[in-house]
Amino acid sequence: MGRLTRDPEVRYSQGERAMAIARYTLAVDRRGRRSQDGGEQTADFINCVAFDRAGEFAEKYFRQGMRVLVSGRIQTGSYTNRDGIKVYTTDVIVDDQEFADSKGASGGDMGGYQPASRPAPSSAIGDGFMNIPDGVEDEGLPFN
């Protein structure tokens, strides 16, 4: 969880089906650590990459300063820059991303975005629980 250092940078892939690729950086406070001068907490800057629908979501709703929560996997890589120096990279490939603050708490405009309640699964009944199909044995369920 961290704050966006700037608006996401979004590009679209070439080919038969264009796919959004959003890149953004989160400033994540280090817990319990103070800077050298004893002042503000220090932060790590985590590079994130979101593909396809997640990239489109980031482009549409994420803005500088917003606090967001992401989960994903770490991917490392390297390339040689124009000066012939090898540069190593570490990115979080985003699986899930969401707002960490409510609209009012963020203090910013989310471009008119109003978080909606999640739709119930099609097999849900009125109380929010899913119907268990006939023929499913109790031993196969992940709870007692």
Side-chain angles (χ1 to χ4, degrees):
M1 180 169 56
R3 292 204 181 269
L4 290 159
T5 60
R6 63 178 178 266
D7 291 355
E9 176 184 311
V10 182
R11 295 189 177 145
Y12 285 84
S13 64
Q14 301 296 315
E16 195 173 306
R17 182 180 160 277
M19 176 176 36
I21 304 167
R23 293 184 167 274
Y24 54 87
T25 302
L26 294 181
V28 179
D29 287 333
R30 291 184 185 174
R31 292 184 183 202
R33 294 280 178 104
R34 298 284 179 189
S35 64
Q36 295 289 341
D37 61 8
E40 294 289 317
Q41 282 189 323
T42 57
D44 291 307
F45 296 90
I46 310 298
N47 296 319
C48 300
V49 183
F51 293 95
D52 208 14
R53 295 180 140 246
E56 292 170 6
F57 182 88
E59 178 181 35
K60 189 170 183 179
Y61 299 116
F62 286 181
R63 296 292 173 261
Q64 179 177 348
M66 283 183 170
R67 195 162 68 140
V68 298
L69 179 67
V70 300
S71 65
R73 63 183 172 84
I74 299 286
Q75 179 173 294
T76 60
S78 64
Y79 64 93
T80 303
N81 68 13
R82 294 178 185 174
D83 299 327
I85 299 170
K86 192 165 193 170
V87 177
Y88 294 92
T89 61
T90 303
D91 297 310
V92 171
I93 306 302
V94 174
D95 290 328
D96 294 305
Q97 60 189 0
E98 59 189 80
F99 301 108
D101 289 327
S102 66
K103 183 175 180 177
S106 68
D109 178 28
M110 290 188 200
Y113 174 73
Q114 292 290 334
S117 60
R118 292 186 180 177
S122 59
S123 60
I125 55 178
D127 59 4
F129 289 94
M130 292 181 64
N131 289 321
I132 298 174
D134 292 335
V136 174
E137 297 297 322
D138 288 342
E139 292 83 34
L141 298 177
F143 47 84
N144 293 328

